[in-house]
Amino acid sequence: MLDRTTVSTKGSEGKVLVVRLVFERRAGKKASGEWLYLLFGNQFLIGREEGCEIRIINDRISRKHCLIRLLEDQAKLTDLGSTNGTFRNGELIEDEIILENRDKMDVGQGVLFRVRLCHRGDRLSSVRLYGGNEVYLLASNEVLIGKFQEETDDVDLMVSDPSLVTRHCRIEHFYNDNFIVALSPEAPVLVNGKPVKELGLKDGDLIELADSAFRWKMVSLT
Protein backbone atom coordinates (compact mmCIF):
# COMPACT_ATOMS: atom_id res chain seq x y z
CA MET A 1 0.00 0.00 0.00
CA LEU A 2 1.34 3.40 -0.97
CA ASP A 3 1.95 5.65 2.02
CA ARG A 4 2.05 9.32 1.02
CA THR A 5 2.53 10.83 4.46
CA THR A 6 4.73 13.91 4.04
CA VAL A 7 4.59 15.95 7.24
CA SER A 8 7.05 15.75 10.10
CA THR A 9 5.59 16.54 13.53
CA LYS A 10 8.51 16.74 15.93
CA GLY A 11 8.95 20.29 17.10
CA SER A 12 9.80 22.30 20.19
CA GLU A 13 6.76 21.32 22.26
CA GLY A 14 8.78 18.86 24.37
CA LYS A 15 8.54 15.18 25.17
CA VAL A 16 5.45 13.05 25.66
CA LEU A 17 5.13 10.64 28.58
CA VAL A 18 3.04 7.51 28.02
CA VAL A 19 1.88 5.55 31.08
CA ARG A 20 -0.43 2.57 31.25
CA LEU A 21 -2.81 2.53 34.22
CA VAL A 22 -3.66 -1.12 34.86
CA PHE A 23 -6.66 -1.67 37.14
CA GLU A 24 -6.21 -4.44 39.68
CA ARG A 25 -9.34 -3.70 41.73
CA ARG A 26 -12.50 -1.76 40.99
CA ALA A 27 -15.17 -1.08 43.62
CA GLY A 28 -13.74 -3.84 45.83
CA LYS A 29 -13.74 -6.49 43.09
CA LYS A 30 -10.73 -7.90 41.29
CA ALA A 31 -10.27 -6.37 37.86
CA SER A 32 -8.76 -8.24 34.94
CA GLY A 33 -7.80 -6.90 31.54
CA GLU A 34 -8.75 -3.31 32.36
CA TRP A 35 -6.34 -0.50 31.55
CA LEU A 36 -6.03 2.86 29.86
CA TYR A 37 -3.17 4.91 28.49
CA LEU A 38 -2.40 8.24 30.13
CA LEU A 39 -0.37 10.61 27.95
CA PHE A 40 1.13 13.89 29.16
CA GLY A 41 2.27 16.38 26.53
CA ASN A 42 1.16 19.08 24.12
CA GLN A 43 0.97 17.18 20.86
CA PHE A 44 0.32 13.54 20.11
CA LEU A 45 1.16 11.72 16.92
CA ILE A 46 -1.12 8.90 15.78
CA GLY A 47 0.19 6.34 13.32
CA ARG A 48 1.58 2.86 12.88
CA GLU A 49 5.27 3.86 13.00
CA GLU A 50 7.32 3.09 16.06
CA GLY A 51 7.73 6.31 18.04
CA CYS A 52 4.14 7.49 17.57
CA GLU A 53 2.55 8.35 20.92
CA ILE A 54 -0.61 6.50 19.85
CA ARG A 55 0.62 3.59 17.77
CA ILE A 56 -1.96 1.64 15.79
CA ILE A 57 -0.86 -1.49 13.93
CA ASN A 58 -3.31 -1.47 11.03
CA ASP A 59 -2.63 -1.45 7.28
CA ARG A 60 -5.13 1.37 6.79
CA ILE A 61 -3.17 3.62 9.14
CA SER A 62 -0.25 5.59 7.69
CA ARG A 63 3.15 5.67 9.37
CA LYS A 64 2.44 9.22 10.57
CA HIS A 65 -1.29 9.54 10.11
CA CYS A 66 -2.64 12.50 12.12
CA LEU A 67 -1.80 14.80 14.99
CA ILE A 68 -3.72 16.11 18.01
CA ARG A 69 -2.53 19.35 19.61
CA LEU A 70 -3.71 20.56 23.03
CA LEU A 71 -4.02 24.32 23.35
CA GLU A 72 -5.11 26.33 26.37
CA ASP A 73 -8.82 26.18 25.58
CA GLN A 74 -9.21 23.71 22.72
CA ALA A 75 -7.86 20.62 20.97
CA LYS A 76 -6.99 20.59 17.27
CA LEU A 77 -6.77 17.66 14.89
CA THR A 78 -4.72 17.61 11.68
CA ASP A 79 -4.40 14.92 9.02
CA LEU A 80 -0.76 14.48 7.95
CA GLY A 81 -1.28 13.59 4.31
CA SER A 82 -2.36 10.07 5.17
CA THR A 83 -3.26 7.56 2.47
CA ASN A 84 -6.75 6.76 3.75
CA GLY A 85 -7.63 10.06 5.40
CA THR A 86 -8.90 11.16 8.78
CA PHE A 87 -12.61 11.77 9.30
CA ARG A 88 -14.64 13.70 11.88
CA ASN A 89 -18.28 12.63 12.14
CA GLY A 90 -18.07 11.05 8.69
CA GLU A 91 -16.52 14.05 6.95
CA LEU A 92 -13.00 14.00 5.55
CA ILE A 93 -10.64 16.44 7.27
CA GLU A 94 -8.80 18.64 4.80
CA ASP A 95 -7.61 21.40 7.14
CA GLU A 96 -6.81 21.53 10.85
CA ILE A 97 -10.08 21.35 12.80
CA ILE A 98 -11.16 21.98 16.38
CA LEU A 99 -12.37 18.83 18.13
CA GLU A 100 -15.75 19.01 19.83
CA ASN A 101 -17.14 16.95 22.67
CA ARG A 102 -18.72 13.68 21.50
CA ASP A 103 -17.07 13.83 18.08
CA LYS A 104 -16.44 10.56 16.28
CA MET A 105 -12.90 10.50 14.96
CA ASP A 106 -12.21 7.91 12.25
CA VAL A 107 -8.53 7.22 11.54
CA GLY A 108 -8.09 5.82 8.03
CA GLN A 109 -11.55 4.22 8.15
CA GLY A 110 -9.80 1.58 10.22
CA VAL A 111 -10.13 2.76 13.84
CA LEU A 112 -13.01 4.80 15.25
CA PHE A 113 -12.52 6.87 18.39
CA ARG A 114 -15.21 8.63 20.41
CA VAL A 115 -14.02 11.94 21.84
CA ARG A 116 -14.64 13.38 25.31
CA LEU A 117 -13.32 16.83 26.16
CA CYS A 118 -12.87 17.86 29.77
CA HIS A 119 -12.72 21.52 30.78
CA ARG A 120 -12.14 23.19 34.12
CA GLY A 121 -13.28 26.75 33.88
CA ASP A 122 -12.21 28.13 30.51
CA ARG A 123 -9.23 25.79 30.21
CA LEU A 124 -9.06 22.50 28.37
CA SER A 125 -7.98 19.83 30.84
CA SER A 126 -7.92 16.63 28.80
CA VAL A 127 -9.05 14.76 25.71
CA ARG A 128 -10.28 11.18 26.05
CA LEU A 129 -10.24 8.87 23.03
CA TYR A 130 -12.20 5.64 23.33
CA GLY A 131 -12.03 3.05 20.56
CA GLY A 132 -13.07 -0.51 21.24
CA ASN A 133 -10.77 -1.89 23.92
CA GLU A 134 -8.34 1.04 23.78
CA VAL A 135 -8.71 4.20 25.87
CA TYR A 136 -6.29 7.13 25.68
CA LEU A 137 -6.39 10.09 28.05
CA LEU A 138 -4.39 13.06 26.73
CA ALA A 139 -3.46 15.89 29.08
CA SER A 140 -0.94 18.71 29.26
CA ASN A 141 0.13 18.53 32.90
CA GLU A 142 -2.52 17.13 35.26
CA VAL A 143 -5.54 14.86 35.52
CA LEU A 144 -8.27 14.88 38.14
CA ILE A 145 -9.60 11.49 39.26
CA GLY A 146 -12.96 10.88 40.96
CA LYS A 147 -16.04 8.70 41.01
CA PHE A 148 -18.21 8.34 37.94
CA GLN A 149 -21.14 10.75 37.72
CA GLU A 150 -23.08 11.12 34.49
CA GLU A 151 -23.45 14.89 34.74
CA THR A 152 -19.82 15.63 35.66
CA ASP A 153 -17.77 17.24 32.87
CA ASP A 154 -14.73 18.58 34.75
CA VAL A 155 -13.22 15.33 36.07
CA ASP A 156 -10.74 13.78 33.65
CA LEU A 157 -10.83 10.16 34.82
CA MET A 158 -14.07 8.93 36.39
CA VAL A 159 -14.02 5.51 38.07
CA SER A 160 -17.17 3.45 38.59
CA ASP A 161 -16.73 3.10 42.35
CA PRO A 162 -19.18 4.74 44.80
CA SER A 163 -16.53 4.72 47.55
CA LEU A 164 -14.60 7.46 45.75
CA VAL A 165 -15.48 11.12 46.14
CA THR A 166 -16.23 13.34 43.16
CA ARG A 167 -12.73 14.87 43.19
CA HIS A 168 -10.62 12.23 44.85
CA CYS A 169 -7.06 12.96 43.81
CA ARG A 170 -4.90 14.62 41.19
CA ILE A 171 -1.93 13.38 39.18
CA GLU A 172 0.52 16.10 38.16
CA HIS A 173 3.21 15.95 35.49
CA PHE A 174 6.09 18.38 35.92
CA TYR A 175 9.32 18.25 33.91
CA ASN A 176 9.04 14.47 33.43
CA ASP A 177 8.32 13.90 37.13
CA ASN A 178 4.90 12.70 38.26
CA PHE A 179 3.10 13.25 41.55
CA ILE A 180 -0.14 12.03 43.07
CA VAL A 181 -1.94 14.48 45.37
CA ALA A 182 -4.79 13.58 47.75
CA LEU A 183 -7.51 16.24 47.70
CA SER A 184 -9.54 15.53 50.80
CA PRO A 185 -9.19 13.83 54.23
CA GLU A 186 -12.33 11.86 53.27
CA ALA A 187 -10.61 10.59 50.11
CA PRO A 188 -7.88 8.09 51.11
CA VAL A 189 -4.96 7.61 48.73
CA LEU A 190 -2.41 4.85 49.29
CA VAL A 191 0.75 4.14 47.30
CA ASN A 192 2.23 0.69 47.85
CA GLY A 193 0.05 0.30 50.94
CA LYS A 194 1.03 3.58 52.63
CA PRO A 195 -1.32 6.59 52.95
CA VAL A 196 0.00 9.71 51.20
CA LYS A 197 -0.89 13.36 50.82
CA GLU A 198 1.58 13.99 47.99
CA LEU A 199 4.15 11.61 46.55
CA GLY A 200 6.27 11.14 43.44
CA LEU A 201 5.27 8.13 41.35
CA LYS A 202 7.62 5.42 40.10
CA ASP A 203 7.23 2.62 37.60
CA GLY A 204 5.30 -0.27 39.14
CA ASP A 205 3.70 1.70 42.00
CA LEU A 206 0.33 0.42 43.20
CA ILE A 207 -2.13 3.27 43.72
CA GLU A 208 -5.19 2.60 45.88
CA LEU A 209 -8.16 4.95 45.90
CA ALA A 210 -10.76 3.80 48.43
CA ASP A 211 -11.98 0.41 47.09
CA SER A 212 -10.20 0.64 43.71
CA ALA A 213 -6.56 0.18 42.77
CA PHE A 214 -4.39 0.51 39.67
CA ARG A 215 -0.76 -0.04 38.77
CA TRP A 216 1.38 2.80 37.36
CA LYS A 217 3.32 1.31 34.43
CA MET A 218 5.74 3.46 32.44
CA VAL A 219 5.57 2.80 28.69
CA SER A 220 7.71 5.43 26.96
CA LEU A 221 9.03 8.98 26.94
CA THR A 222 9.19 10.18 23.33
Short mmCIF file of all heavy atoms in Angstrom, two decimals, residues 177-204:
data_model
loop_
_atom_site.label_atom_id
_atom_site.label_comp_id
_atom_site.label_asym_id
_atom_site.label_seq_id
_atom_site.Cartn_x
_atom_site.Cartn_y
_atom_site.Cartn_z
N ASP A 177 8.63 14.51 35.84
CA ASP A 177 8.32 13.90 37.13
C ASP A 177 6.81 13.86 37.30
O ASP A 177 6.08 14.69 36.74
CB ASP A 177 8.94 14.70 38.28
CG ASP A 177 10.45 14.57 38.30
OD1 ASP A 177 10.95 13.47 38.00
OD2 ASP A 177 11.12 15.57 38.62
N ASN A 178 6.33 12.89 38.09
CA ASN A 178 4.90 12.70 38.26
C ASN A 178 4.56 12.57 39.74
O ASN A 178 5.27 11.88 40.47
CB ASN A 178 4.44 11.45 37.50
CG ASN A 178 4.87 11.48 36.05
OD1 ASN A 178 4.25 12.13 35.23
ND2 ASN A 178 5.95 10.78 35.72
N PHE A 179 3.49 13.22 40.15
CA PHE A 179 3.10 13.25 41.55
C PHE A 179 1.62 12.93 41.68
O PHE A 179 0.81 13.34 40.83
CB PHE A 179 3.37 14.62 42.17
CG PHE A 179 4.80 15.06 42.09
CD1 PHE A 179 5.27 15.74 40.97
CD2 PHE A 179 5.69 14.78 43.12
CE1 PHE A 179 6.59 16.15 40.88
CE2 PHE A 179 7.01 15.18 43.04
CZ PHE A 179 7.46 15.87 41.92
N ILE A 180 1.26 12.22 42.74
CA ILE A 180 -0.14 12.03 43.07
C ILE A 180 -0.44 12.85 44.32
O ILE A 180 0.35 12.86 45.27
CB ILE A 180 -0.50 10.54 43.27
CG1 ILE A 180 -2.02 10.38 43.39
CG2 ILE A 180 0.24 9.92 44.44
CD1 ILE A 180 -2.50 8.97 43.17
N VAL A 181 -1.58 13.55 44.30
CA VAL A 181 -1.94 14.48 45.37
C VAL A 181 -3.35 14.14 45.86
O VAL A 181 -4.30 14.14 45.08
CB VAL A 181 -1.91 15.94 44.88
CG1 VAL A 181 -2.25 16.89 46.02
CG2 VAL A 181 -0.53 16.28 44.29
N ALA A 182 -3.47 13.81 47.15
CA ALA A 182 -4.79 13.58 47.75
C ALA A 182 -5.49 14.93 47.92
O ALA A 182 -4.85 15.93 48.27
CB ALA A 182 -4.65 12.88 49.08
N LEU A 183 -6.80 14.97 47.70
CA LEU A 183 -7.51 16.24 47.70
C LEU A 183 -8.44 16.44 48.89
O LEU A 183 -8.97 17.52 49.07
CB LEU A 183 -8.32 16.39 46.39
CG LEU A 183 -7.48 16.43 45.11
CD1 LEU A 183 -8.38 16.55 43.90
CD2 LEU A 183 -6.48 17.57 45.15
N SER A 184 -8.62 15.39 49.68
CA SER A 184 -9.54 15.53 50.80
C SER A 184 -9.23 14.48 51.87
O SER A 184 -8.87 13.35 51.54
CB SER A 184 -11.00 15.36 50.33
OG SER A 184 -11.88 15.23 51.42
N PRO A 185 -9.38 14.83 53.17
CA PRO A 185 -9.19 13.83 54.23
C PRO A 185 -10.17 12.68 54.10
O PRO A 185 -9.90 11.57 54.58
CB PRO A 185 -9.44 14.63 55.51
CG PRO A 185 -9.20 16.06 55.14
CD PRO A 185 -9.65 16.18 53.72
N GLU A 186 -11.32 12.91 53.46
CA GLU A 186 -12.33 11.86 53.27
C GLU A 186 -12.03 11.01 52.04
O GLU A 186 -12.81 10.10 51.72
CB GLU A 186 -13.72 12.48 53.13
CG GLU A 186 -14.28 13.08 54.41
CD GLU A 186 -13.63 14.42 54.75
OE1 GLU A 186 -13.34 15.18 53.81
OE2 GLU A 186 -13.39 14.67 55.96
N ALA A 187 -10.94 11.31 51.34
CA ALA A 187 -10.61 10.59 50.11
C ALA A 187 -9.24 9.93 50.27
O ALA A 187 -8.22 10.50 49.88
CB ALA A 187 -10.61 11.55 48.93
N PRO A 188 -9.18 8.73 50.87
CA PRO A 188 -7.88 8.09 51.11
C PRO A 188 -7.15 7.73 49.83
O PRO A 188 -7.75 7.24 48.86
CB PRO A 188 -8.26 6.82 51.90
CG PRO A 188 -9.68 6.56 51.54
CD PRO A 188 -10.32 7.90 51.32
N VAL A 189 -5.85 7.99 49.83
CA VAL A 189 -4.96 7.61 48.73
C VAL A 189 -3.79 6.85 49.33
O VAL A 189 -3.10 7.35 50.23
CB VAL A 189 -4.46 8.86 47.96
CG1 VAL A 189 -3.45 8.44 46.89
CG2 VAL A 189 -5.62 9.62 47.34
N LEU A 190 -3.55 5.65 48.84
CA LEU A 190 -2.41 4.85 49.29
C LEU A 190 -1.52 4.54 48.09
O LEU A 190 -2.02 4.27 46.99
CB LEU A 190 -2.87 3.54 49.93
CG LEU A 190 -3.43 3.59 51.36
CD1 LEU A 190 -4.83 4.18 51.38
CD2 LEU A 190 -3.45 2.19 51.97
N VAL A 191 -0.22 4.58 48.31
CA VAL A 191 0.75 4.14 47.30
C VAL A 191 1.59 3.04 47.93
O VAL A 191 2.23 3.25 48.97
CB VAL A 191 1.64 5.31 46.83
CG1 VAL A 191 2.69 4.80 45.85
CG2 VAL A 191 0.78 6.40 46.17
N ASN A 192 1.53 1.87 47.32
CA ASN A 192 2.23 0.69 47.85
C ASN A 192 1.86 0.43 49.31
O ASN A 192 2.71 0.08 50.14
CB ASN A 192 3.74 0.84 47.69
CG ASN A 192 4.15 1.02 46.24
OD1 ASN A 192 3.53 0.44 45.33
ND2 ASN A 192 5.16 1.83 45.99
N GLY A 193 0.57 0.62 49.62
CA GLY A 193 0.05 0.30 50.94
C GLY A 193 0.19 1.39 51.98
O GLY A 193 -0.29 1.22 53.11
N LYS A 194 0.83 2.52 51.65
CA LYS A 194 1.03 3.58 52.63
C LYS A 194 0.20 4.81 52.26
O LYS A 194 0.22 5.25 51.12
CB LYS A 194 2.51 3.95 52.70
CG LYS A 194 3.41 2.82 53.17
CD LYS A 194 4.86 3.26 53.22
CE LYS A 194 5.76 2.13 53.71
NZ LYS A 194 7.19 2.54 53.77
N PRO A 195 -0.53 5.38 53.24
CA PRO A 195 -1.32 6.59 52.95
C PRO A 195 -0.40 7.76 52.62
O PRO A 195 0.65 7.95 53.23
CB PRO A 195 -2.09 6.82 54.24
CG PRO A 195 -1.32 6.10 55.31
CD PRO A 195 -0.67 4.94 54.64
N VAL A 196 -0.81 8.57 51.64
CA VAL A 196 0.00 9.71 51.20
C VAL A 196 -0.88 10.94 51.02
O VAL A 196 -2.07 10.84 50.74
CB VAL A 196 0.74 9.40 49.88
CG1 VAL A 196 1.65 8.19 50.02
CG2 VAL A 196 -0.24 9.19 48.74
N LYS A 197 -0.26 12.10 51.19
CA LYS A 197 -0.89 13.36 50.82
C LYS A 197 -0.37 13.84 49.47
O LYS A 197 -1.12 14.34 48.64
CB LYS A 197 -0.63 14.41 51.90
CG LYS A 197 -1.31 14.13 53.22
CD LYS A 197 -1.08 15.25 54.23
CE LYS A 197 -1.81 14.98 55.53
NZ LYS A 197 -1.57 16.07 56.53
N GLU A 198 0.95 13.69 49.29
CA GLU A 198 1.58 13.99 47.99
C GLU A 198 2.83 13.15 47.88
O GLU A 198 3.62 13.06 48.81
CB GLU A 198 1.92 15.47 47.88
CG GLU A 198 2.58 15.84 46.56
CD GLU A 198 2.84 17.32 46.42
OE1 GLU A 198 2.22 18.11 47.16
OE2 GLU A 198 3.66 17.69 45.55
N LEU A 199 3.01 12.51 46.71
CA LEU A 199 4.15 11.61 46.55
C LEU A 199 4.51 11.49 45.08
O LEU A 199 3.63 11.45 44.20
CB LEU A 199 3.80 10.21 47.10
CG LEU A 199 4.95 9.20 47.12
CD1 LEU A 199 5.98 9.58 48.18
CD2 LEU A 199 4.41 7.79 47.37
N GLY A 200 5.82 11.41 44.80
CA GLY A 200 6.27 11.14 43.44
C GLY A 200 6.01 9.69 43.07
O GLY A 200 6.14 8.79 43.90
N LEU A 201 5.62 9.48 41.83
CA LEU A 201 5.27 8.13 41.35
C LEU A 201 6.43 7.51 40.60
O LEU A 201 7.15 8.18 39.86
CB LEU A 201 4.03 8.20 40.45
CG LEU A 201 2.73 8.60 41.14
CD1 LEU A 201 1.63 8.81 40.11
CD2 LEU A 201 2.32 7.54 42.16
N LYS A 202 6.59 6.19 40.78
CA LYS A 202 7.62 5.42 40.10
C LYS A 202 6.98 4.24 39.37
O LYS A 202 5.87 3.81 39.70
CB LYS A 202 8.65 4.90 41.10
CG LYS A 202 9.31 5.96 41.96
CD LYS A 202 10.39 5.37 42.87
CE LYS A 202 9.83 4.32 43.82
NZ LYS A 202 8.83 4.87 44.77
N ASP A 203 7.71 3.76 38.37
CA ASP A 203 7.23 2.62 37.60
C ASP A 203 6.90 1.44 38.52
O ASP A 203 7.71 1.07 39.38
CB ASP A 203 8.29 2.21 36.58
CG ASP A 203 7.82 1.10 35.66
OD1 ASP A 203 6.63 1.08 35.31
OD2 ASP A 203 8.65 0.26 35.29
N GLY A 204 5.71 0.89 38.36
CA GLY A 204 5.30 -0.27 39.14
C GLY A 204 4.55 0.05 40.41
O GLY A 204 4.05 -0.87 41.08
#
